[in-house]
Amino acid sequence: MNVILFGATGMIGRGVLRECLRDDSVTSVLAIGRTPLGVSHPKLRERIQPDPSDLSAPPALDLAAYDACFFCLGVSSVGMKEEAYRRVTYDLTLAVARPLAAANPRLTFVYVSGEGTDSTERGRSMWARVKGRTENDLLELPFQAYMFRPGIVQPVRGVPSKTRLYRALYAVTAPLVPLLRRVAPNLVITSEALGRAMIAVATPGTEVPGRILRPQDINRLGAPPARHN
């Protein structure tokens, strides 16, 4: 499959990129963003532009040539007003999704949302309402859309967090993650499992439990293949 990837400089996007480059079923990856990745690979092509959502910017893209879009771009809502958060979360995402859906209704679009997202769009939590509206409108578009709602994402295989605060939190809590995985296995996923699960839902023939996938679904879809002696 040919994949478009947004948010590859972030922790989740970097993990997804790693799995795409490792997986033989992924033929090519186009990473669209504002800053270079500093990664070189025969499968990888980068498109650096000030507005990542402008798919009409030159050079022209053949959007119909892509089989999947993995949308990992996002920001924390901490300290943001709803209008500003909506512009970055809802407006930017739909600006990407709408032309992709129009160009290729067979495309698989995977959106990284969050556990606790409010599908009613009427709850008290601002970020949950905005994410809920984003999910709902993506699901109305004429392509195969899947909403990933990860709980706690554990970065693995050298995948770093881009945010200084999160890096500090991961460093402090890292010793507790194995215990948390044993006590609440459906709460924690790894960046590796998340990337594999995205590839899985975009692979024809994969049995997917629904359009909104929670940690237990992501862990099942992203489980490593069984080894046979």
Side-chain angles (χ1 to χ4, degrees):
M1 69 181 77
N2 298 314
V3 172
I4 299 179
L5 175 61
F6 288 85
T9 58
M11 183 265 286
I12 288 177
R14 183 73 69 161
V16 173
L17 174 62
R18 178 183 182 274
E19 297 310 309
C20 287
L21 298 181
R22 294 178 66 242
D23 196 300
D24 291 340
S25 70
V26 177
T27 306
S28 68
V29 180
L30 171 63
I32 301 179
R34 296 186 180 93
T35 57
L37 297 175
V39 175
S40 178
H41 193 280
K43 288 187 191 179
L44 177 63
R45 182 162 63 96
E46 292 189 65
R47 182 181 172 100
I48 310 301
Q49 57 190 53
D51 180 4
S53 68
D54 185 7
L55 298 185
S56 64
L61 286 174
D62 180 9
L63 299 181
Y66 292 89
D67 305 292
C69 176
F70 299 154
F71 198 91
C72 308
L73 190 62
V75 296
S76 169
S77 64
V78 176
M80 295 187 72
K81 299 291 187 181
E82 183 165 350
E83 182 180 355
Y85 184 70
R86 185 174 61 247
R87 282 198 302 270
V88 177
T89 301
Y90 176 86
D91 294 348
L92 192 151
T93 305
L94 270 293
V96 169
R98 286 172 177 139
L100 285 172
N104 184 7
R106 295 184 300 276
L107 179 133
T108 298
F109 190 97
V110 181
Y111 175 65
V112 178
S113 185
E115 188 72 354
T117 292
D118 178 16
S119 297
T120 71
E121 305 178 35
R122 295 191 298 270
R124 297 180 63 183
S125 175
M126 179 272 284
W127 76 265
R129 291 195 308 271
V130 175
K131 287 278 193 181
R133 181 186 176 196
T134 306
E135 284 190 356
N136 290 339
D137 285 7
L138 287 172
L139 290 168
E140 290 294 323
L141 291 175
F143 52 24
Q144 288 290 111
Y146 295 97
M147 309 296 109
F148 273 39
R149 294 185 181 181
I152 299 171
V153 180
Q154 177 189 9
V156 295
R157 310 295 183 188
V159 173
S161 172
K162 189 178 179 182
T163 305
R164 182 181 300 176
L165 174 61
Y166 289 171
R167 286 199 302 270
L169 288 173
Y170 286 132
V172 171
T173 59
L176 302 176
V177 171
L179 174 62
L180 186 59
R181 289 182 66 85
R182 288 196 296 270
V183 174
N186 291 330
L187 184 63
V188 181
I189 66 172
T190 66
S191 55
E192 188 175 43
L194 185 62
R196 285 199 299 253
M198 286 194 180
I199 296 169
V201 300
T203 301
T206 301
E207 184 179 342
V208 184
R211 294 297 186 90
I212 296 177
L213 304 177
R214 292 183 165 84
Q216 60 267 33
D217 306 310
I218 297 169
N219 279 329
R220 181 180 65 80
L221 290 164
R227 293 184 178 179
H228 301 285
N229 294 327

PDB file of all heavy atoms in Angstrom, residues 32-45:
ATOM      1  N   ILE A  32       3.950  14.350   5.250  1.00  0.00           N
ATOM      2  CA  ILE A  32       3.663  15.760   5.016  1.00  0.00           C
ATOM      3  C   ILE A  32       3.736  16.499   6.345  1.00  0.00           C
ATOM      4  O   ILE A  32       3.083  16.106   7.321  1.00  0.00           O
ATOM      5  CB  ILE A  32       2.281  15.952   4.368  1.00  0.00           C
ATOM      6  CG1 ILE A  32       2.212  15.197   3.035  1.00  0.00           C
ATOM      7  CG2 ILE A  32       1.973  17.432   4.154  1.00  0.00           C
ATOM      8  CD1 ILE A  32       0.866  15.321   2.329  1.00  0.00           C
ATOM      9  N   GLY A  33       4.528  17.557   6.386  1.00  0.00           N
ATOM     10  CA  GLY A  33       4.656  18.315   7.621  1.00  0.00           C
ATOM     11  C   GLY A  33       5.408  19.611   7.424  1.00  0.00           C
ATOM     12  O   GLY A  33       5.808  19.959   6.304  1.00  0.00           O
ATOM     13  N   ARG A  34       5.614  20.310   8.523  1.00  0.00           N
ATOM     14  CA  ARG A  34       6.276  21.616   8.466  1.00  0.00           C
ATOM     15  C   ARG A  34       7.791  21.520   8.576  1.00  0.00           C
ATOM     16  O   ARG A  34       8.508  22.414   8.139  1.00  0.00           O
ATOM     17  CB  ARG A  34       5.756  22.518   9.594  1.00  0.00           C
ATOM     18  CG  ARG A  34       4.286  22.869   9.492  1.00  0.00           C
ATOM     19  CD  ARG A  34       3.899  23.875  10.568  1.00  0.00           C
ATOM     20  NE  ARG A  34       2.488  24.222  10.492  1.00  0.00           N
ATOM     21  CZ  ARG A  34       1.530  23.612  11.173  1.00  0.00           C
ATOM     22  NH1 ARG A  34       1.847  22.614  11.983  1.00  0.00           N
ATOM     23  NH2 ARG A  34       0.270  23.980  11.045  1.00  0.00           N
ATOM     24  N   THR A  35       8.288  20.471   9.203  1.00  0.00           N
ATOM     25  CA  THR A  35       9.728  20.356   9.443  1.00  0.00           C
ATOM     26  C   THR A  35      10.259  19.012   8.954  1.00  0.00           C
ATOM     27  O   THR A  35       9.536  18.009   8.983  1.00  0.00           O
ATOM     28  CB  THR A  35      10.045  20.500  10.950  1.00  0.00           C
ATOM     29  OG1 THR A  35       9.309  19.515  11.689  1.00  0.00           O
ATOM     30  CG2 THR A  35       9.653  21.883  11.453  1.00  0.00           C
ATOM     31  N   PRO A  36      11.508  18.980   8.504  1.00  0.00           N
ATOM     32  CA  PRO A  36      12.096  17.713   8.038  1.00  0.00           C
ATOM     33  C   PRO A  36      12.195  16.688   9.162  1.00  0.00           C
ATOM     34  O   PRO A  36      12.334  17.033  10.333  1.00  0.00           O
ATOM     35  CB  PRO A  36      13.490  18.139   7.541  1.00  0.00           C
ATOM     36  CG  PRO A  36      13.405  19.601   7.307  1.00  0.00           C
ATOM     37  CD  PRO A  36      12.413  20.122   8.315  1.00  0.00           C
ATOM     38  N   LEU A  37      12.155  15.423   8.788  1.00  0.00           N
ATOM     39  CA  LEU A  37      12.184  14.335   9.763  1.00  0.00           C
ATOM     40  C   LEU A  37      13.601  13.933  10.156  1.00  0.00           C
ATOM     41  O   LEU A  37      13.798  13.351  11.217  1.00  0.00           O
ATOM     42  CB  LEU A  37      11.470  13.101   9.198  1.00  0.00           C
ATOM     43  CG  LEU A  37       9.983  13.258   8.891  1.00  0.00           C
ATOM     44  CD1 LEU A  37       9.454  11.989   8.223  1.00  0.00           C
ATOM     45  CD2 LEU A  37       9.211  13.540  10.165  1.00  0.00           C
ATOM     46  N   GLY A  38      14.548  14.193   9.286  1.00  0.00           N
ATOM     47  CA  GLY A  38      15.897  13.723   9.563  1.00  0.00           C
ATOM     48  C   GLY A  38      16.025  12.226   9.416  1.00  0.00           C
ATOM     49  O   GLY A  38      16.868  11.602  10.068  1.00  0.00           O
ATOM     50  N   VAL A  39      15.180  11.638   8.581  1.00  0.00           N
ATOM     51  CA  VAL A  39      15.172  10.189   8.354  1.00  0.00           C
ATOM     52  C   VAL A  39      15.358   9.937   6.864  1.00  0.00           C
ATOM     53  O   VAL A  39      14.734  10.609   6.030  1.00  0.00           O
ATOM     54  CB  VAL A  39      13.849   9.552   8.828  1.00  0.00           C
ATOM     55  CG1 VAL A  39      13.811   8.066   8.474  1.00  0.00           C
ATOM     56  CG2 VAL A  39      13.656   9.747  10.318  1.00  0.00           C
ATOM     57  N   SER A  40      16.188   8.982   6.530  1.00  0.00           N
ATOM     58  CA  SER A  40      16.388   8.612   5.132  1.00  0.00           C
ATOM     59  C   SER A  40      16.029   7.143   4.950  1.00  0.00           C
ATOM     60  O   SER A  40      16.489   6.283   5.721  1.00  0.00           O
ATOM     61  CB  SER A  40      17.848   8.855   4.729  1.00  0.00           C
ATOM     62  OG  SER A  40      18.065   8.464   3.385  1.00  0.00           O
ATOM     63  N   HIS A  41      15.204   6.864   3.952  1.00  0.00           N
ATOM     64  CA  HIS A  41      14.800   5.481   3.670  1.00  0.00           C
ATOM     65  C   HIS A  41      14.287   5.418   2.237  1.00  0.00           C
ATOM     66  O   HIS A  41      13.642   6.373   1.758  1.00  0.00           O
ATOM     67  CB  HIS A  41      13.697   5.045   4.640  1.00  0.00           C
ATOM     68  CG  HIS A  41      13.439   3.573   4.641  1.00  0.00           C
ATOM     69  ND1 HIS A  41      12.669   2.943   3.672  1.00  0.00           N
ATOM     70  CD2 HIS A  41      13.861   2.589   5.489  1.00  0.00           C
ATOM     71  CE1 HIS A  41      12.621   1.651   3.932  1.00  0.00           C
ATOM     72  NE2 HIS A  41      13.328   1.414   5.022  1.00  0.00           N
ATOM     73  N   PRO A  42      14.543   4.326   1.520  1.00  0.00           N
ATOM     74  CA  PRO A  42      14.095   4.227   0.129  1.00  0.00           C
ATOM     75  C   PRO A  42      12.587   4.372  -0.047  1.00  0.00           C
ATOM     76  O   PRO A  42      12.129   4.837  -1.101  1.00  0.00           O
ATOM     77  CB  PRO A  42      14.560   2.826  -0.296  1.00  0.00           C
ATOM     78  CG  PRO A  42      15.690   2.504   0.613  1.00  0.00           C
ATOM     79  CD  PRO A  42      15.385   3.165   1.915  1.00  0.00           C
ATOM     80  N   LYS A  43      11.809   3.979   0.958  1.00  0.00           N
ATOM     81  CA  LYS A  43      10.348   4.081   0.854  1.00  0.00           C
ATOM     82  C   LYS A  43       9.837   5.486   1.130  1.00  0.00           C
ATOM     83  O   LYS A  43       8.691   5.801   0.781  1.00  0.00           O
ATOM     84  CB  LYS A  43       9.678   3.167   1.883  1.00  0.00           C
ATOM     85  CG  LYS A  43       9.744   1.695   1.643  1.00  0.00           C
ATOM     86  CD  LYS A  43       8.862   1.029   2.702  1.00  0.00           C
ATOM     87  CE  LYS A  43       9.024  -0.444   2.752  1.00  0.00           C
ATOM     88  NZ  LYS A  43       8.157  -1.037   3.805  1.00  0.00           N
ATOM     89  N   LEU A  44      10.635   6.308   1.800  1.00  0.00           N
ATOM     90  CA  LEU A  44      10.131   7.562   2.369  1.00  0.00           C
ATOM     91  C   LEU A  44      10.357   8.752   1.451  1.00  0.00           C
ATOM     92  O   LEU A  44      11.453   8.949   0.927  1.00  0.00           O
ATOM     93  CB  LEU A  44      10.822   7.818   3.709  1.00  0.00           C
ATOM     94  CG  LEU A  44      10.480   9.126   4.428  1.00  0.00           C
ATOM     95  CD1 LEU A  44       9.001   9.165   4.807  1.00  0.00           C
ATOM     96  CD2 LEU A  44      11.358   9.290   5.664  1.00  0.00           C
ATOM     97  N   ARG A  45       9.292   9.541   1.301  1.00  0.00           N
ATOM     98  CA  ARG A  45       9.390  10.829   0.605  1.00  0.00           C
ATOM     99  C   ARG A  45       8.756  11.874   1.510  1.00  0.00           C
ATOM    100  O   ARG A  45       7.723  11.632   2.135  1.00  0.00           O
ATOM    101  CB  ARG A  45       8.654  10.751  -0.739  1.00  0.00           C
ATOM    102  CG  ARG A  45       8.731  12.031  -1.563  1.00  0.00           C
ATOM    103  CD  ARG A  45       8.377  11.741  -3.017  1.00  0.00           C
ATOM    104  NE  ARG A  45       7.010  11.264  -3.156  1.00  0.00           N
ATOM    105  CZ  ARG A  45       5.962  12.048  -3.465  1.00  0.00           C
ATOM    106  NH1 ARG A  45       6.134  13.342  -3.639  1.00  0.00           N
ATOM    107  NH2 ARG A  45       4.761  11.530  -3.583  1.00  0.00           N
TER     108      ARG A  45
END
